[in-house]
């Protein structure tokens, strides 16, 4: 809040500058990820996380066939490059699912949405080193689509378990 006028100025936190890539070696460019590998802490060779444009393309290649298999309203798929959403415990998310508003709700209609957060993938690579980001991406998309399938059935036990785990972490 401004100390003079008390106006609120909301900013993304962490700010973009706080999550700037801190990779060793040359700057990555679009298309460079193919064949560019690094070794993980366990000695396994992994392809480095690609630039955003390539990541988006790969994410859609994974998501679209999976989304096409789900009956009913089409799920909107988004790759978010900005500040990732966080869980109730404050941890940045790899992905999220937002169901559509219930029928008759007094809010604008929107489709069910699965979002993947690129900056969380960047953070993992920066903090933990090279990892199998493509397998993690696939698992994240599949997980969020599972939430949608449970939503269609009327009960999401995965969501209940995730909230219980967050509550246990807060206590710990």
């Amino acid at each position: 809040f401004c100390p003079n006028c008390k106006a609120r100025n909301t900013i993304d936190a962490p700010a973009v500058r706080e999550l700037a890539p801190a990779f060793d070696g040359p700057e990555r460019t679009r298309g460079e990820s193919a064949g560019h590998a690094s070794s993980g802490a366990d000695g396994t060779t992994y392809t480095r996380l690609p630039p955003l444009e390539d990541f988006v393309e790969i994410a859609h290649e994974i998501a679209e066939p999976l989304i096409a298999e789900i009956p009913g309203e089409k799920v909107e798929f988004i790759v978010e490059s900005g500040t990732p959403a966080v869980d109730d415990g404050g941890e940045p998310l790899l992905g999220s699912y937002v169901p559509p508003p219930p029928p008759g709700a007094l809010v604008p209609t929107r489709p069910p949405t699965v979002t993947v957060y690129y900056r969380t993938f960047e953070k993992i690579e920066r903090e933990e080193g090279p990892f199998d980001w493509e397998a993690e991406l696939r698992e994240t998309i599949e997980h969020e689509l599972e939430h949608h399938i449970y939503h269609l059935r009327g009960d999401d036990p995965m969501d209940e378990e995730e909230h219980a785990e967050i509550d246990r972490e807060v206590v710990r």
Side-chain angles (χ1 to χ4, degrees), residues 147 155-168:
H147 280 295
D155 180 45
D156 187 350
M158 287 174 38
D159 189 55
E160 294 163 13
E161 176 52 37
E162 288 170 1
H163 281 90
E165 177 63 29
I166 291 166
D167 291 345
R168 287 190 293 272

Side-chain angles (χ1 to χ4, degrees), residues 31-49:
E32 180 184 344
S33 63
H36 187 72
S38 297
S39 294
D42 62 357
T44 305
T45 301
Y46 299 110
T47 304
R48 286 173 78 179
L49 187 69

Side-chain angles (χ1 to χ4, degrees), residues 86-169:
V86 296
D87 65 19
D88 292 341
E91 287 296 313
L93 299 173
L94 287 168
S96 65
Y97 169 70
V98 177
L106 299 175
V107 296
T109 60
R110 58 171 167 62
T113 306
V114 167
T115 304
V116 171
Y117 301 96
Y118 179 73
R119 284 178 54 188
T120 306
F121 284 82
E122 283 184 315
K123 179 179 183 259
I124 292 170
E125 185 172 85
R126 188 174 57 257
E127 291 179 355
E128 299 176 17
F131 70 111
D132 192 352
W133 63 267
E134 197 164 351
E136 189 70 44
L137 175 60
R138 177 176 294 283
E139 183 179 325
T140 299
I141 293 168
E142 290 172 348
H143 175 88
E144 300 310 333
L145 289 173
E146 276 185 90
H147 280 295
H148 177 61
I149 291 167
Y150 281 124
H151 173 76
L152 292 175
R153 294 178 184 162
D155 180 45
D156 187 350
M158 287 174 38
D159 189 55
E160 294 163 13
E161 176 52 37
E162 288 170 1
H163 281 90
E165 177 63 29
I166 291 166
D167 291 345
R168 287 190 293 272
E169 280 295 311

